[in-house]
Amino acid sequence: MSTSPSPSADSPPPLGSWPRVYALVCLSAVAVMALLWWFTAHHNLRPGPP
């Protein structure tokens, strides 16, 4: 039984390099956080007078 390297070791990363993948993930996370902040700020139900 021989051990061959996994096929993923020879294939390139999805966007050409891992720093690009990490940058895309970080930018996506920041965009989602900004969108959630916007929804929270603009759709916040403020209590009326008692």
Side-chain angles (χ1 to χ4, degrees), residues 1 7 13 24 28 30 32 37:
M1 182 162 75
L24 179 65
S28 299
V30 169
V32 167
W37 172 82

Side-chain angles (χ1 to χ4, degrees):
M1 182 162 75
S2 65
T3 58
S4 61
S6 65
S8 64
D10 296 334
S11 62
L15 295 176
S17 68
W18 287 113
R20 288 183 186 172
V21 175
Y22 297 145
L24 179 65
V25 169
C26 290
L27 288 174
S28 299
V30 169
V32 167
M33 286 186 274
L35 186 64
L36 290 173
W37 172 82
W38 184 84
F39 279 133
T40 302
H42 288 85
H43 298 286
N44 188 10
L45 298 176
R46 293 177 179 88

